[in-house]
């Protein structure tokens, strides 16, 4: 197949680095002709070869470095550049499949235009939705022009997509509710995936490096922003300060990280260690010696969310402790997989009780860990995602 990928944040394919680069490299591995478009650090438009893929890099700021209006304008710029530059620099290509995700919503305009230009099928990965979260988090009202704009962009995207993939059943139900053009029969459940380079280094050596000897380590890895509730992390840590062997490790970055550090100091919390952001390989080394992986979601979010960090926890067999909103079905997933425990966000005493249960019952955690590793091997590797996408596309053309 001739495949075009449109991903806003796509690391260099020679190095890998996130689930989207892992997916692109899988298509290369299985012999497909692949091109991709994303942003880059270059000052001018650049087309280069990365792991056998022609990659169009447009000069734009990484969205993780921006917030608010600047991020929104950057997304608009990126999507419009996709629409204009892909036909220009990939002229002569005969793409059969175009694969993109739902962020930014403006990708709807770009994908509609490119689908028309190349006469190709559009495969849409349902990842993020903007206007519902904007309303539920109080950023704007449902009749606000910004909200109406995002509604329009997302509806265009759904109207012109041919196939869909969702990380869980809740995302499917959500899409049915809000997008009239969404066809459930054209959607598959596609678990998040990751090419986790398993660390085989002696655990005691890693523990010693990070001063984690004899500690029951609860790790939170990832973004610390509006979608997460940092104060719930702090409340949980403070609630178990009497357990001297429990240590919280926060490895991440985001708009609220500095504020969390300041609040932690003001609250006199002494069982949290803030670790600077780490390269993926080093993060995996650290992850390999942790006991519990923490997920905390803002209870006010309006869209279902299965954080992609879940894959790393599964790959390393780290039982999950989750504090979630009412929209996501993450707790159902953990219960069905038997890989973790959780409750609704804001219920610190319940979350504390579950953490103590995991701390005092290593056999429960061992069983969860074994389940996680098995599920990762069978359902969460990039090769698993590739096979599922390929089968879905093949069935469409039958």
């Amino acid at each position: 197949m001739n495949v075009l990928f449109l991903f806003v944040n796509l690391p260099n394919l020679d190095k890998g680095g996130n689930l989207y680069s892992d997916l692109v490299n899988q298509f290369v591995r299985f012999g497909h002709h692949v091109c991709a478009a994303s942003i880059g650090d270059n000052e001018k438009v650049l087309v280069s070869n990365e792991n056998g893929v022609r990659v169009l890099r447009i000069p734009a700021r990484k969205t993780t470095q921006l917030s608010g209006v600047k991020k929104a304008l950057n997304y608009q710029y990126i999507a419009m550049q996709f629409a204009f530059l892909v036909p220009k620099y990939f002229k002569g290509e005969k793409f059969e499949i175009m694969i993109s995700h739902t962020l930014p919503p403006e990708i709807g305009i770009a994908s509609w235009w490119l689908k028309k230009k190349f006469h190709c099928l559009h495969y849409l990965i349902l990842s993020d939705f903007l206007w519902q979260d904007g309303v539920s988090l109080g950023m704007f009202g449902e009749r606000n022009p910004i909200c109406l704009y995002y509604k329009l962009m997302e509806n265009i995207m759904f109207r012109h997509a041919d196939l869909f993939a969702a990380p869980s059943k809740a995302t499917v139900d959500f899409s049915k509710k809000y997008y009239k053009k969404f066809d459930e029969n054209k959607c598959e459940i596609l678990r998040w995936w990751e090419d986790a380079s398993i660390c085989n280094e002696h655990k005691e050596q890693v523990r010693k490096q990070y001063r984690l000897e004899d500690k029951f380590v609860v790790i939170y890895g990832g973004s610390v922003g509006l979608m997460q509730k940092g104060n719930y992390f702090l409340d949980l840590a403070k609630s178990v300060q009497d357990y001297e062997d429990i240590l919280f490790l926060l490895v991440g970055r985001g708009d609220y990280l500095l504020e969390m550090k300041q609040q932690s100091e003001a609250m006199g919390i002494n069982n949290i260690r803030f670790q600077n952001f780490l390269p993926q390989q080093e993060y995996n080394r650290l992850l390999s010696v942790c006991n519990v992986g923490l997920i905390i979601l803002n209870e006010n979010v309006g869209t279902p969310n299965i954080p992609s960090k879940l894959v790393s926890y599964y790959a390393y067999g780290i039982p999950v402790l989750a504090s979630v909103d009412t929209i996501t079905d993450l707790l159902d997933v953990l219960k069905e997989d038997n890989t973790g425990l959780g409750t609704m966000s804001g219920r610190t005493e319940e979350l504390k009780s579950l953490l103590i249960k995991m701390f005092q019952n290593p056999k429960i955690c061992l069983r969860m860990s074994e389940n996680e590793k098995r599920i990762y091997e069978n359902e969460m590797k990039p090769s698993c995602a590739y096979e599922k996408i390929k089968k879905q596309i093949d069935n469409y053309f039958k």
Side-chain angles (χ1 to χ4, degrees):
M1 291 190 302
N2 295 327
V3 187
L4 170 65
F5 288 93
L6 299 181
F7 293 141
V8 172
N9 291 313
L10 183 70
N12 188 293
L13 297 174
D14 292 322
K15 301 175 183 178
N18 71 8
L19 73 168
Y20 296 118
S21 58
D22 290 343
L23 182 62
V24 175
N25 283 332
Q26 281 297 310
F27 273 79
V28 175
R29 177 188 169 197
F30 284 94
H32 300 284
H33 174 68
V34 178
C35 294
S38 186
I39 65 173
D41 296 325
N42 40 292
E43 295 182 359
K44 297 181 179 180
V45 177
L46 175 68
V47 178
S48 59
N49 186 295
E50 299 176 14
N51 194 32
V53 178
R54 287 184 68 204
V55 180
L56 168 65
R57 297 282 182 185
I58 64 172
R61 293 188 65 183
K62 293 182 179 179
T63 55
T64 53
Q65 300 171 347
L66 302 171
S67 60
V69 175
K70 290 183 178 180
K71 177 178 282 192
L73 293 175
N74 197 53
Y75 276 146
Q76 287 184 336
Y77 173 77
I78 292 169
M80 295 307 104
Q81 290 294 95
F82 279 170
F84 174 71
L85 295 175
V86 169
K88 178 179 179 180
Y89 285 91
F90 291 151
K91 187 177 182 179
E93 295 283 356
K94 296 182 179 180
F95 297 118
E96 301 163 86
I97 311 295
M98 175 174 54
I99 299 178
S100 68
H101 48 50
T102 51
L103 192 71
E106 289 87 355
I107 205 80
I109 295 292
S111 59
W112 164 77
W113 179 248
L114 295 175
K115 178 181 176 180
K116 185 177 180 180
K117 279 283 186 181
F118 292 106
H119 306 286
C120 61
L121 176 144
H122 181 205
Y123 188 98
L124 183 62
I125 299 171
L126 307 180
S127 55
D128 298 275
F129 307 89
L130 281 186
W131 73 261
Q132 295 91 342
D133 280 334
V135 172
S136 63
L137 294 172
M139 298 171 67
F140 44 71
E142 194 164 347
R143 304 304 300 175
N144 185 286
I146 297 175
C147 181
L148 297 176
Y149 165 77
Y150 282 132
K151 278 186 179 183
L152 175 63
M153 293 296 104
E154 288 180 359
N155 273 293
I156 290 174
M157 177 168 49
F158 272 82
R159 185 180 305 124
H160 295 286
D162 301 291
L163 292 174
F164 305 88
S168 73
K169 182 64 166 55
T171 303
V172 177
D173 294 339
F174 177 88
S175 300
K176 284 170 57 180
K177 178 180 179 180
Y178 286 105
Y179 303 101
K180 294 180 180 180
K181 296 298 181 179
F182 173 76
D183 186 347
E184 182 180 9
N185 297 319
K186 295 180 179 180
C187 184
E188 291 283 345
I189 301 297
L190 180 68
R191 284 183 182 260
W192 295 133
W193 60 91
E194 180 182 322
D195 185 7
S197 53
I198 302 300
C199 175
N200 295 316
E201 189 174 347
H202 199 282
K203 290 189 176 183
E204 291 307 314
Q205 184 175 343
V206 180
R207 280 181 169 269
K208 184 176 181 180
Q209 176 185 341
Y210 285 97
R211 297 178 289 114
L212 302 174
E213 300 97 325
D214 303 319
K215 293 294 184 181
F216 184 87
V217 183
V218 182
I219 188 170
Y220 177 90
S223 177
V224 182
L226 187 60
M227 298 297 288
Q228 301 78 30
K229 267 294 185 76
N231 57 305
Y232 292 155
F233 177 91
L234 300 178
D235 291 342
L236 177 62
K238 188 174 181 62
S239 73
V240 295
Q241 281 194 129
D242 291 341
Y243 294 83
E244 295 181 357
D245 292 335
I246 298 180
L247 175 68
F248 290 81
L249 193 59
L250 193 153
V251 186
R253 56 188 174 188
D255 300 337
Y256 292 81
L257 183 58
L258 178 59
E259 182 180 325
M260 282 189 64
K261 290 181 179 179
Q262 294 170 341
Q263 287 183 354
S264 175
E265 184 176 345
M267 294 168 67
I269 301 175
N270 57 21
N271 58 352
I272 299 178
R273 188 174 299 166
F274 292 91
Q275 172 66 48
N276 292 333
F277 185 79
L278 295 171
Q280 187 65 45
Q281 188 172 358
E282 188 61 27
Y283 173 70
N284 288 345
R285 287 183 69 243
L286 183 56
L287 203 59
S288 70
V289 300
C290 295
N291 301 95
V292 168
L294 190 61
I295 291 176
I296 294 182
L297 301 176
N298 189 325
E299 75 271 24
N300 295 319
V301 298
T303 61
N305 186 4
I306 302 290
S308 59
K309 67 168 66 68
L310 188 70
V311 187
S312 297
Y313 293 163
Y314 273 45
Y316 281 91
I318 303 173
V320 180
L321 180 64
S323 174
V324 305
D325 58 89
T326 58
I327 303 296
T328 184
D329 56 348
L330 177 58
L331 295 188
D332 295 333
V333 172
L334 295 178
K335 183 178 180 180
E336 183 176 344
D337 292 346
N338 189 15
T339 53
L341 302 173
T343 185
M344 295 295 109
S345 285
R347 299 178 182 177
T348 301
E349 286 302 313
E350 288 186 26
L351 200 62
K352 171 187 175 181
S353 177
L354 295 175
L355 175 57
I356 299 305
K357 180 179 180 179
M358 299 172 86
F359 173 62
Q360 296 178 338
N361 294 273
K363 288 185 178 179
I364 292 177
C365 288
L366 178 59
R367 185 162 58 248
M368 290 178 176
S369 177
E370 291 171 347
N371 290 337
E372 286 179 310
K373 292 176 181 178
R374 173 181 52 80
I375 292 171
Y376 171 76
E377 288 292 328
N378 295 330
E379 300 181 44
M380 289 179 157
K381 283 190 169 183
S383 57
C384 301
Y386 165 80
E387 293 292 347
K388 198 153 193 177
I389 292 172
K390 179 65 164 53
K391 182 178 180 181
Q392 193 179 353
I393 292 172
D394 288 344
N395 288 337
Y396 179 87
F397 284 116
K398 283 183 179 178

